[in-house]
Amino acid sequence: MSADNNLQVLNALDVAKTQLYHFTTIVIAGMGFFTDAYDLFSISLVTKLLGRLYYTKSDLLKPGTLPPTVSASVTGVALVGTLAGQLFFGWLGDKMGRKTVYGMTLIIMVLCSVASGLSFGSTPKGVMATLCFFRFWLGFGIGGDYPLSATIMSEYANKKTRGAFIAAVFAMQGFGILFSGIIALIVSAGFDHAYNVPSFQENAALSTVPQADYIWRIILMFGALPAFLTYYWRMKMPETARYTALVAKDAKRAAQDMGRVLQVEIDPEDAKIEQMSRDETNKFGLFSWEFVRRHGLHLFGTCSTWFLLDIAFYSQNLFQKDVFSAVGWIPAAKTMNAVQEVYKIARAQTLIALLSTVPGYWFTVAFIDIVGRFAIQLMGFFFMTVFMFAIAIPYEHWTKKDNHIGFVAMYALTFFFANFGPNATTFVVPAEIFPARLRSTCHGISAAAGKAGAIVGAYGFLYAAQSKDPTKTDAGYPAGIGIKNSLLALGAINALGMVCTFCVPESKGKSLEEASQETITEE
């Protein structure tokens, strides 16, 4: 079947002028991503506070910190949950429909955001076990949002601006990170004003007020609000026409739903759907040679590039503390009380989000349908490689006091080009290049490969970056290969991402059926 023979309802979507329903969909799907980023990144704002509250011993000379295993569990368990959710809900989205599963993921996110701020018992073990349990299931719900949001937006969009619309949904992550910092700033400033207590070095016992225990709970529970507010609108959205027509084979409902959305009359074309359902060419499954022949290389490309990107992206906290300390954004822990430390960390994260994270996302939105996915991804990986090596090779030079501004600029540019580059395109492309009945599943597999990379980046490199000298490692960590060697390895990983980008096809300006070869029949 040629593109000309495509269903009228799909052609109508492809050529539709940009209108209100496009922006409504961006907001509804984007608020899910806003919540995802808030929930995933807010934990880094409160881990230092958790260490002070639950692991400060009375005879210690410095504030308590989470032991390595606890720290890894608290921050990493949500990533593991996200990986599982991406695979499960990605598959379920192709089986039950995008809309039905979309509601489930939102309910899980709302309930588990609230539950993350509750705890059974008051012992360190009880609090951390509860937090980890609910953050795993929170991650599970967040995982479902990745394939479903991308698929819904791609199936609603017109072909001319589809890339920008999907990228705009993903760009809401930047605002989620920003919002988590702002909420933490407001809460910590309020508590610091209410309980004006001395710093740790002035009086260790009084530097952490018992009421500070509410701070991390309020910050984590706030993540339920944006998800809750969009639930009604998510449930009002009709199922996407591509799922209804191409997967559920219900031409009449697809035409009715999209006719209402586009405000035009659309012929259901039952006969054409009947003919398509008899065509054996496009019935191959995920585990078939036909899928491997048509899309095997594409799936390898989307998985490998997302995996490699997230290793680099999630390892940013390796040198984040060096950057923040270098410019004086975060002073030594003992010079602050517990609440002030939350405030300073939140301020630093908010500034980084404003200066590099948010602008990078929106540069992608602006240019993705002009220069294409492939060019942006290749350019992003290239500059990430350049700046990572530029930090790593003269690393000692950047750590000297006079060179701090250059160090921060390199750091900001690395992550600006991650966002104006593969961090956005790896999300967009898997939603465009696979057939409708496998689209959500393949996006989920690609996203899960990314989260596997995130786990390697956040934890593998946390251990690897420890000093080679065992006496200089962080408390509880074995000796590693050092920050300089870790950064060199990350530069090489970004370079490999450039190579793997050549396995990913360009989908700019094509209908979803063309990009996924779904309307091709064998002669």
mmCIF file with all atom_site columns, all heavy atoms in Angstrom, residues 27 34 39 54 68 72 75 149 157 165 177 181 189 208 231 284 313 317 331 355-356 388 397 518:
data_model
loop_
_atom_site.group_PDB
_atom_site.id
_atom_site.type_symbol
_atom_site.label_atom_id
_atom_site.label_alt_id
_atom_site.label_comp_id
_atom_site.label_asym_id
_atom_site.label_entity_id
_atom_site.label_seq_id
_atom_site.pdbx_PDB_ins_code
_atom_site.Cartn_x
_atom_site.Cartn_y
_atom_site.Cartn_z
_atom_site.occupancy
_atom_site.B_iso_or_equiv
_atom_site.pdbx_formal_charge
_atom_site.auth_seq_id
_atom_site.auth_comp_id
_atom_site.auth_asym_id
_atom_site.auth_atom_id
_atom_site.pdbx_PDB_model_num
ATOM 1   N N   . VAL A 1 27  ? 0.693  19.665 26.588 1.00 0.00 ? 27  VAL A N   1
ATOM 2   C CA  . VAL A 1 27  ? 0.590  19.989 28.017 1.00 0.00 ? 27  VAL A CA  1
ATOM 3   C C   . VAL A 1 27  ? 0.226  18.743 28.824 1.00 0.00 ? 27  VAL A C   1
ATOM 4   O O   . VAL A 1 27  ? 0.839  18.457 29.860 1.00 0.00 ? 27  VAL A O   1
ATOM 5   C CB  . VAL A 1 27  ? -0.438 21.124 28.251 1.00 0.00 ? 27  VAL A CB  1
ATOM 6   C CG1 . VAL A 1 27  ? -0.712 21.319 29.735 1.00 0.00 ? 27  VAL A CG1 1
ATOM 7   C CG2 . VAL A 1 27  ? 0.069  22.416 27.635 1.00 0.00 ? 27  VAL A CG2 1
ATOM 8   N N   . PHE A 1 34  ? 6.988  16.348 33.319 1.00 0.00 ? 34  PHE A N   1
ATOM 9   C CA  . PHE A 1 34  ? 7.298  17.324 34.363 1.00 0.00 ? 34  PHE A CA  1
ATOM 10  C C   . PHE A 1 34  ? 7.367  16.597 35.714 1.00 0.00 ? 34  PHE A C   1
ATOM 11  O O   . PHE A 1 34  ? 8.313  16.755 36.484 1.00 0.00 ? 34  PHE A O   1
ATOM 12  C CB  . PHE A 1 34  ? 6.180  18.378 34.356 1.00 0.00 ? 34  PHE A CB  1
ATOM 13  C CG  . PHE A 1 34  ? 6.322  19.459 35.374 1.00 0.00 ? 34  PHE A CG  1
ATOM 14  C CD1 . PHE A 1 34  ? 6.914  20.677 35.034 1.00 0.00 ? 34  PHE A CD1 1
ATOM 15  C CD2 . PHE A 1 34  ? 5.846  19.292 36.665 1.00 0.00 ? 34  PHE A CD2 1
ATOM 16  C CE1 . PHE A 1 34  ? 7.022  21.699 35.975 1.00 0.00 ? 34  PHE A CE1 1
ATOM 17  C CE2 . PHE A 1 34  ? 5.958  20.295 37.608 1.00 0.00 ? 34  PHE A CE2 1
ATOM 18  C CZ  . PHE A 1 34  ? 6.547  21.508 37.263 1.00 0.00 ? 34  PHE A CZ  1
ATOM 19  N N   . ASP A 1 39  ? 10.125 13.971 40.297 1.00 0.00 ? 39  ASP A N   1
ATOM 20  C CA  . ASP A 1 39  ? 10.270 12.824 41.205 1.00 0.00 ? 39  ASP A CA  1
ATOM 21  C C   . ASP A 1 39  ? 11.671 12.218 41.156 1.00 0.00 ? 39  ASP A C   1
ATOM 22  O O   . ASP A 1 39  ? 12.228 11.834 42.179 1.00 0.00 ? 39  ASP A O   1
ATOM 23  C CB  . ASP A 1 39  ? 9.222  11.755 40.873 1.00 0.00 ? 39  ASP A CB  1
ATOM 24  C CG  . ASP A 1 39  ? 7.812  12.198 41.234 1.00 0.00 ? 39  ASP A CG  1
ATOM 25  O OD1 . ASP A 1 39  ? 7.681  13.016 42.159 1.00 0.00 ? 39  ASP A OD1 1
ATOM 26  O OD2 . ASP A 1 39  ? 6.847  11.745 40.582 1.00 0.00 ? 39  ASP A OD2 1
ATOM 27  N N   . TYR A 1 54  ? 19.562 10.847 59.981 1.00 0.00 ? 54  TYR A N   1
ATOM 28  C CA  . TYR A 1 54  ? 19.512 9.451  60.420 1.00 0.00 ? 54  TYR A CA  1
ATOM 29  C C   . TYR A 1 54  ? 20.882 8.806  60.633 1.00 0.00 ? 54  TYR A C   1
ATOM 30  O O   . TYR A 1 54  ? 20.959 7.706  61.166 1.00 0.00 ? 54  TYR A O   1
ATOM 31  C CB  . TYR A 1 54  ? 18.705 8.619  59.408 1.00 0.00 ? 54  TYR A CB  1
ATOM 32  C CG  . TYR A 1 54  ? 17.262 9.051  59.339 1.00 0.00 ? 54  TYR A CG  1
ATOM 33  C CD1 . TYR A 1 54  ? 16.784 9.805  58.273 1.00 0.00 ? 54  TYR A CD1 1
ATOM 34  C CD2 . TYR A 1 54  ? 16.383 8.732  60.374 1.00 0.00 ? 54  TYR A CD2 1
ATOM 35  C CE1 . TYR A 1 54  ? 15.455 10.228 58.229 1.00 0.00 ? 54  TYR A CE1 1
ATOM 36  C CE2 . TYR A 1 54  ? 15.065 9.144  60.335 1.00 0.00 ? 54  TYR A CE2 1
ATOM 37  C CZ  . TYR A 1 54  ? 14.600 9.891  59.261 1.00 0.00 ? 54  TYR A CZ  1
ATOM 38  O OH  . TYR A 1 54  ? 13.292 10.300 59.234 1.00 0.00 ? 54  TYR A OH  1
ATOM 39  N N   . PRO A 1 68  ? 27.458 4.250  51.608 1.00 0.00 ? 68  PRO A N   1
ATOM 40  C CA  . PRO A 1 68  ? 27.401 4.036  50.148 1.00 0.00 ? 68  PRO A CA  1
ATOM 41  C C   . PRO A 1 68  ? 26.259 3.136  49.685 1.00 0.00 ? 68  PRO A C   1
ATOM 42  O O   . PRO A 1 68  ? 25.569 3.466  48.717 1.00 0.00 ? 68  PRO A O   1
ATOM 43  C CB  . PRO A 1 68  ? 28.754 3.396  49.841 1.00 0.00 ? 68  PRO A CB  1
ATOM 44  C CG  . PRO A 1 68  ? 29.658 3.907  50.901 1.00 0.00 ? 68  PRO A CG  1
ATOM 45  C CD  . PRO A 1 68  ? 28.818 4.063  52.135 1.00 0.00 ? 68  PRO A CD  1
ATOM 46  N N   . ALA A 1 72  ? 23.232 4.537  47.400 1.00 0.00 ? 72  ALA A N   1
ATOM 47  C CA  . ALA A 1 72  ? 22.982 3.946  46.077 1.00 0.00 ? 72  ALA A CA  1
ATOM 48  C C   . ALA A 1 72  ? 21.555 3.430  45.972 1.00 0.00 ? 72  ALA A C   1
ATOM 49  O O   . ALA A 1 72  ? 20.903 3.580  44.939 1.00 0.00 ? 72  ALA A O   1
ATOM 50  C CB  . ALA A 1 72  ? 23.976 2.817  45.817 1.00 0.00 ? 72  ALA A CB  1
ATOM 51  N N   . THR A 1 75  ? 18.870 6.512  45.864 1.00 0.00 ? 75  THR A N   1
ATOM 52  C CA  . THR A 1 75  ? 18.825 7.256  44.600 1.00 0.00 ? 75  THR A CA  1
ATOM 53  C C   . THR A 1 75  ? 18.651 6.336  43.391 1.00 0.00 ? 75  THR A C   1
ATOM 54  O O   . THR A 1 75  ? 18.124 6.758  42.370 1.00 0.00 ? 75  THR A O   1
ATOM 55  C CB  . THR A 1 75  ? 20.100 8.107  44.404 1.00 0.00 ? 75  THR A CB  1
ATOM 56  O OG1 . THR A 1 75  ? 21.230 7.295  44.653 1.00 0.00 ? 75  THR A OG1 1
ATOM 57  C CG2 . THR A 1 75  ? 20.133 9.291  45.330 1.00 0.00 ? 75  THR A CG2 1
ATOM 58  N N   . SER A 1 149 ? 3.817  8.506  26.529 1.00 0.00 ? 149 SER A N   1
ATOM 59  C CA  . SER A 1 149 ? 3.791  9.936  26.170 1.00 0.00 ? 149 SER A CA  1
ATOM 60  C C   . SER A 1 149 ? 4.350  10.152 24.767 1.00 0.00 ? 149 SER A C   1
ATOM 61  O O   . SER A 1 149 ? 3.787  10.890 23.968 1.00 0.00 ? 149 SER A O   1
ATOM 62  C CB  . SER A 1 149 ? 4.611  10.762 27.168 1.00 0.00 ? 149 SER A CB  1
ATOM 63  O OG  . SER A 1 149 ? 3.957  10.813 28.401 1.00 0.00 ? 149 SER A OG  1
ATOM 64  N N   . ALA A 1 157 ? 0.381  13.973 16.216 1.00 0.00 ? 157 ALA A N   1
ATOM 65  C CA  . ALA A 1 157 ? 1.009  15.125 15.554 1.00 0.00 ? 157 ALA A CA  1
ATOM 66  C C   . ALA A 1 157 ? 0.886  15.066 14.032 1.00 0.00 ? 157 ALA A C   1
ATOM 67  O O   . ALA A 1 157 ? 0.651  14.009 13.450 1.00 0.00 ? 157 ALA A O   1
ATOM 68  C CB  . ALA A 1 157 ? 2.481  15.184 15.941 1.00 0.00 ? 157 ALA A CB  1
ATOM 69  N N   . PHE A 1 165 ? 6.943  18.663 18.485 1.00 0.00 ? 165 PHE A N   1
ATOM 70  C CA  . PHE A 1 165 ? 5.918  18.354 19.482 1.00 0.00 ? 165 PHE A CA  1
ATOM 71  C C   . PHE A 1 165 ? 6.392  17.278 20.459 1.00 0.00 ? 165 PHE A C   1
ATOM 72  O O   . PHE A 1 165 ? 6.186  17.395 21.666 1.00 0.00 ? 165 PHE A O   1
ATOM 73  C CB  . PHE A 1 165 ? 4.608  17.901 18.794 1.00 0.00 ? 165 PHE A CB  1
ATOM 74  C CG  . PHE A 1 165 ? 3.868  19.011 18.103 1.00 0.00 ? 165 PHE A CG  1
ATOM 75  C CD1 . PHE A 1 165 ? 2.936  18.735 17.113 1.00 0.00 ? 165 PHE A CD1 1
ATOM 76  C CD2 . PHE A 1 165 ? 4.105  20.333 18.433 1.00 0.00 ? 165 PHE A CD2 1
ATOM 77  C CE1 . PHE A 1 165 ? 2.249  19.763 16.471 1.00 0.00 ? 165 PHE A CE1 1
ATOM 78  C CE2 . PHE A 1 165 ? 3.417  21.376 17.800 1.00 0.00 ? 165 PHE A CE2 1
ATOM 79  C CZ  . PHE A 1 165 ? 2.492  21.080 16.820 1.00 0.00 ? 165 PHE A CZ  1
ATOM 80  N N   . ILE A 1 177 ? 12.705 19.630 36.662 1.00 0.00 ? 177 ILE A N   1
ATOM 81  C CA  . ILE A 1 177 ? 13.944 19.753 37.447 1.00 0.00 ? 177 ILE A CA  1
ATOM 82  C C   . ILE A 1 177 ? 13.996 21.135 38.112 1.00 0.00 ? 177 ILE A C   1
ATOM 83  O O   . ILE A 1 177 ? 14.322 21.260 39.298 1.00 0.00 ? 177 ILE A O   1
ATOM 84  C CB  . ILE A 1 177 ? 15.183 19.539 36.541 1.00 0.00 ? 177 ILE A CB  1
ATOM 85  C CG1 . ILE A 1 177 ? 15.197 18.109 35.969 1.00 0.00 ? 177 ILE A CG1 1
ATOM 86  C CG2 . ILE A 1 177 ? 16.484 19.813 37.305 1.00 0.00 ? 177 ILE A CG2 1
ATOM 87  C CD1 . ILE A 1 177 ? 16.201 17.882 34.853 1.00 0.00 ? 177 ILE A CD1 1
ATOM 88  N N   . GLY A 1 181 ? 13.790 22.182 42.302 1.00 0.00 ? 181 GLY A N   1
ATOM 89  C CA  . GLY A 1 181 ? 14.713 23.086 42.984 1.00 0.00 ? 181 GLY A CA  1
ATOM 90  C C   . GLY A 1 181 ? 13.996 24.240 43.659 1.00 0.00 ? 181 GLY A C   1
ATOM 91  O O   . GLY A 1 181 ? 14.302 24.599 44.803 1.00 0.00 ? 181 GLY A O   1
ATOM 92  N N   . ALA A 1 189 ? 13.888 27.479 52.940 1.00 0.00 ? 189 ALA A N   1
ATOM 93  C CA  . ALA A 1 189 ? 13.971 28.874 53.408 1.00 0.00 ? 189 ALA A CA  1
ATOM 94  C C   . ALA A 1 189 ? 12.958 29.111 54.530 1.00 0.00 ? 189 ALA A C   1
ATOM 95  O O   . ALA A 1 189 ? 13.267 29.767 55.537 1.00 0.00 ? 189 ALA A O   1
ATOM 96  C CB  . ALA A 1 189 ? 13.715 29.831 52.248 1.00 0.00 ? 189 ALA A CB  1
ATOM 97  N N   . THR A 1 208 ? 20.840 20.253 63.591 1.00 0.00 ? 208 THR A N   1
ATOM 98  C CA  . THR A 1 208 ? 19.754 19.560 62.877 1.00 0.00 ? 208 THR A CA  1
ATOM 99  C C   . THR A 1 208 ? 18.527 19.523 63.779 1.00 0.00 ? 208 THR A C   1
ATOM 100 O O   . THR A 1 208 ? 18.482 18.755 64.739 1.00 0.00 ? 208 THR A O   1
ATOM 101 C CB  . THR A 1 208 ? 20.167 18.112 62.497 1.00 0.00 ? 208 THR A CB  1
ATOM 102 O OG1 . THR A 1 208 ? 21.391 18.155 61.791 1.00 0.00 ? 208 THR A OG1 1
ATOM 103 C CG2 . THR A 1 208 ? 19.107 17.432 61.646 1.00 0.00 ? 208 THR A CG2 1
ATOM 104 N N   . TYR A 1 231 ? -4.855 14.297 35.657 1.00 0.00 ? 231 TYR A N   1
ATOM 105 C CA  . TYR A 1 231 ? -5.513 12.987 35.485 1.00 0.00 ? 231 TYR A CA  1
ATOM 106 C C   . TYR A 1 231 ? -6.823 13.106 34.703 1.00 0.00 ? 231 TYR A C   1
ATOM 107 O O   . TYR A 1 231 ? -7.084 12.352 33.763 1.00 0.00 ? 231 TYR A O   1
ATOM 108 C CB  . TYR A 1 231 ? -5.773 12.337 36.855 1.00 0.00 ? 231 TYR A CB  1
ATOM 109 C CG  . TYR A 1 231 ? -6.415 10.979 36.720 1.00 0.00 ? 231 TYR A CG  1
ATOM 110 C CD1 . TYR A 1 231 ? -5.666 9.875  36.343 1.00 0.00 ? 231 TYR A CD1 1
ATOM 111 C CD2 . TYR A 1 231 ? -7.783 10.804 36.919 1.00 0.00 ? 231 TYR A CD2 1
ATOM 112 C CE1 . TYR A 1 231 ? -6.247 8.630  36.193 1.00 0.00 ? 231 TYR A CE1 1
ATOM 113 C CE2 . TYR A 1 231 ? -8.380 9.574  36.768 1.00 0.00 ? 231 TYR A CE2 1
ATOM 114 C CZ  . TYR A 1 231 ? -7.609 8.493  36.403 1.00 0.00 ? 231 TYR A CZ  1
ATOM 115 O OH  . TYR A 1 231 ? -8.190 7.256  36.224 1.00 0.00 ? 231 TYR A OH  1
ATOM 116 N N   . PHE A 1 284 ? 4.064  -9.307 11.105 1.00 0.00 ? 284 PHE A N   1
ATOM 117 C CA  . PHE A 1 284 ? 5.203  -9.922 11.815 1.00 0.00 ? 284 PHE A CA  1
ATOM 118 C C   . PHE A 1 284 ? 5.291  -9.390 13.251 1.00 0.00 ? 284 PHE A C   1
ATOM 119 O O   . PHE A 1 284 ? 4.927  -8.255 13.549 1.00 0.00 ? 284 PHE A O   1
ATOM 120 C CB  . PHE A 1 284 ? 6.518  -9.646 11.068 1.00 0.00 ? 284 PHE A CB  1
ATOM 121 C CG  . PHE A 1 284 ? 6.832  -8.198 10.846 1.00 0.00 ? 284 PHE A CG  1
ATOM 122 C CD1 . PHE A 1 284 ? 7.513  -7.453 11.806 1.00 0.00 ? 284 PHE A CD1 1
ATOM 123 C CD2 . PHE A 1 284 ? 6.456  -7.548 9.670  1.00 0.00 ? 284 PHE A CD2 1
ATOM 124 C CE1 . PHE A 1 284 ? 7.802  -6.113 11.609 1.00 0.00 ? 284 PHE A CE1 1
ATOM 125 C CE2 . PHE A 1 284 ? 6.741  -6.208 9.464  1.00 0.00 ? 284 PHE A CE2 1
ATOM 126 C CZ  . PHE A 1 284 ? 7.416  -5.483 10.437 1.00 0.00 ? 284 PHE A CZ  1
ATOM 127 N N   . PHE A 1 313 ? 25.156 11.069 30.817 1.00 0.00 ? 313 PHE A N   1
ATOM 128 C CA  . PHE A 1 313 ? 24.219 12.045 31.380 1.00 0.00 ? 313 PHE A CA  1
ATOM 129 C C   . PHE A 1 313 ? 24.060 11.868 32.890 1.00 0.00 ? 313 PHE A C   1
ATOM 130 O O   . PHE A 1 313 ? 24.045 12.842 33.638 1.00 0.00 ? 313 PHE A O   1
ATOM 131 C CB  . PHE A 1 313 ? 22.861 11.920 30.684 1.00 0.00 ? 313 PHE A CB  1
ATOM 132 C CG  . PHE A 1 313 ? 21.938 13.064 30.960 1.00 0.00 ? 313 PHE A CG  1
ATOM 133 C CD1 . PHE A 1 313 ? 22.149 14.293 30.347 1.00 0.00 ? 313 PHE A CD1 1
ATOM 134 C CD2 . PHE A 1 313 ? 20.873 12.933 31.833 1.00 0.00 ? 313 PHE A CD2 1
ATOM 135 C CE1 . PHE A 1 313 ? 21.292 15.369 30.606 1.00 0.00 ? 313 PHE A CE1 1
ATOM 136 C CE2 . PHE A 1 313 ? 20.022 13.995 32.094 1.00 0.00 ? 313 PHE A CE2 1
ATOM 137 C CZ  . PHE A 1 313 ? 20.229 15.211 31.469 1.00 0.00 ? 313 PHE A CZ  1
ATOM 138 N N   . ASN A 1 317 ? 26.815 13.775 38.207 1.00 0.00 ? 317 ASN A N   1
ATOM 139 C CA  . ASN A 1 317 ? 27.026 14.082 39.629 1.00 0.00 ? 317 ASN A CA  1
ATOM 140 C C   . ASN A 1 317 ? 28.432 13.719 40.104 1.00 0.00 ? 317 ASN A C   1
ATOM 141 O O   . ASN A 1 317 ? 28.815 14.018 41.214 1.00 0.00 ? 317 ASN A O   1
ATOM 142 C CB  . ASN A 1 317 ? 25.965 13.389 40.507 1.00 0.00 ? 317 ASN A CB  1
ATOM 143 C CG  . ASN A 1 317 ? 25.801 11.939 40.163 1.00 0.00 ? 317 ASN A CG  1
ATOM 144 O OD1 . ASN A 1 317 ? 26.594 11.384 39.392 1.00 0.00 ? 317 ASN A OD1 1
ATOM 145 N ND2 . ASN A 1 317 ? 24.775 11.297 40.694 1.00 0.00 ? 317 ASN A ND2 1
ATOM 146 N N   . PRO A 1 331 ? 29.168 25.545 50.166 1.00 0.00 ? 331 PRO A N   1
ATOM 147 C CA  . PRO A 1 331 ? 30.329 25.555 51.061 1.00 0.00 ? 331 PRO A CA  1
ATOM 148 C C   . PRO A 1 331 ? 30.497 24.209 51.772 1.00 0.00 ? 331 PRO A C   1
ATOM 149 O O   . PRO A 1 331 ? 29.669 23.294 51.601 1.00 0.00 ? 331 PRO A O   1
ATOM 150 C CB  . PRO A 1 331 ? 29.987 26.671 52.067 1.00 0.00 ? 331 PRO A CB  1
ATOM 151 C CG  . PRO A 1 331 ? 28.617 27.141 51.755 1.00 0.00 ? 331 PRO A CG  1
ATOM 152 C CD  . PRO A 1 331 ? 28.060 26.328 50.632 1.00 0.00 ? 331 PRO A CD  1
ATOM 153 N N   . LEU A 1 355 ? 20.535 27.649 33.483 1.00 0.00 ? 355 LEU A N   1
ATOM 154 C CA  . LEU A 1 355 ? 21.619 28.057 32.593 1.00 0.00 ? 355 LEU A CA  1
ATOM 155 C C   . LEU A 1 355 ? 21.865 27.084 31.439 1.00 0.00 ? 355 LEU A C   1
ATOM 156 O O   . LEU A 1 355 ? 22.230 27.496 30.348 1.00 0.00 ? 355 LEU A O   1
ATOM 157 C CB  . LEU A 1 355 ? 22.926 28.223 33.395 1.00 0.00 ? 355 LEU A CB  1
ATOM 158 C CG  . LEU A 1 355 ? 22.913 29.348 34.439 1.00 0.00 ? 355 LEU A CG  1
ATOM 159 C CD1 . LEU A 1 355 ? 24.181 29.314 35.274 1.00 0.00 ? 355 LEU A CD1 1
ATOM 160 C CD2 . LEU A 1 355 ? 22.761 30.711 33.765 1.00 0.00 ? 355 LEU A CD2 1
ATOM 161 N N   . SER A 1 356 ? 21.689 25.777 31.689 1.00 0.00 ? 356 SER A N   1
ATOM 162 C CA  . SER A 1 356 ? 22.037 24.844 30.598 1.00 0.00 ? 356 SER A CA  1
ATOM 163 C C   . SER A 1 356 ? 20.956 23.815 30.276 1.00 0.00 ? 356 SER A C   1
ATOM 164 O O   . SER A 1 356 ? 20.735 23.500 29.119 1.00 0.00 ? 356 SER A O   1
ATOM 165 C CB  . SER A 1 356 ? 23.369 24.133 30.900 1.00 0.00 ? 356 SER A CB  1
ATOM 166 O OG  . SER A 1 356 ? 23.230 23.192 31.924 1.00 0.00 ? 356 SER A OG  1
ATOM 167 N N   . MET A 1 388 ? 33.915 16.925 27.143 1.00 0.00 ? 388 MET A N   1
ATOM 168 C CA  . MET A 1 388 ? 34.317 15.956 28.178 1.00 0.00 ? 388 MET A CA  1
ATOM 169 C C   . MET A 1 388 ? 35.836 15.784 28.161 1.00 0.00 ? 388 MET A C   1
ATOM 170 O O   . MET A 1 388 ? 36.479 15.773 29.207 1.00 0.00 ? 388 MET A O   1
ATOM 171 C CB  . MET A 1 388 ? 33.612 14.623 27.943 1.00 0.00 ? 388 MET A CB  1
ATOM 172 C CG  . MET A 1 388 ? 33.467 13.773 29.179 1.00 0.00 ? 388 MET A CG  1
ATOM 173 S SD  . MET A 1 388 ? 32.328 14.444 30.410 1.00 0.00 ? 388 MET A SD  1
ATOM 174 C CE  . MET A 1 388 ? 30.812 13.622 30.031 1.00 0.00 ? 388 MET A CE  1
ATOM 175 N N   . HIS A 1 397 ? 44.421 21.401 35.778 1.00 0.00 ? 397 HIS A N   1
ATOM 176 C CA  . HIS A 1 397 ? 44.373 22.831 35.451 1.00 0.00 ? 397 HIS A CA  1
ATOM 177 C C   . HIS A 1 397 ? 43.038 23.432 35.907 1.00 0.00 ? 397 HIS A C   1
ATOM 178 O O   . HIS A 1 397 ? 42.999 24.518 36.486 1.00 0.00 ? 397 HIS A O   1
ATOM 179 C CB  . HIS A 1 397 ? 44.552 22.995 33.931 1.00 0.00 ? 397 HIS A CB  1
ATOM 180 C CG  . HIS A 1 397 ? 44.231 24.364 33.413 1.00 0.00 ? 397 HIS A CG  1
ATOM 181 N ND1 . HIS A 1 397 ? 45.112 25.427 33.494 1.00 0.00 ? 397 HIS A ND1 1
ATOM 182 C CD2 . HIS A 1 397 ? 43.104 24.869 32.812 1.00 0.00 ? 397 HIS A CD2 1
ATOM 183 C CE1 . HIS A 1 397 ? 44.553 26.508 32.965 1.00 0.00 ? 397 HIS A CE1 1
ATOM 184 N NE2 . HIS A 1 397 ? 43.337 26.208 32.548 1.00 0.00 ? 397 HIS A NE2 1
ATOM 185 N N   . GLU A 1 518 ? 5.402  0.919  7.365  1.00 0.00 ? 518 GLU A N   1
ATOM 186 C CA  . GLU A 1 518 ? 4.205  0.135  7.673  1.00 0.00 ? 518 GLU A CA  1
ATOM 187 C C   . GLU A 1 518 ? 3.280  0.008  6.474  1.00 0.00 ? 518 GLU A C   1
ATOM 188 O O   . GLU A 1 518 ? 2.490  -0.924 6.388  1.00 0.00 ? 518 GLU A O   1
ATOM 189 C CB  . GLU A 1 518 ? 3.459  0.801  8.833  1.00 0.00 ? 518 GLU A CB  1
ATOM 190 C CG  . GLU A 1 518 ? 2.470  -0.119 9.499  1.00 0.00 ? 518 GLU A CG  1
ATOM 191 C CD  . GLU A 1 518 ? 2.068  0.389  10.869 1.00 0.00 ? 518 GLU A CD  1
ATOM 192 O OE1 . GLU A 1 518 ? 2.525  1.466  11.293 1.00 0.00 ? 518 GLU A OE1 1
ATOM 193 O OE2 . GLU A 1 518 ? 1.279  -0.301 11.506 1.00 0.00 ? 518 GLU A OE2 1
#
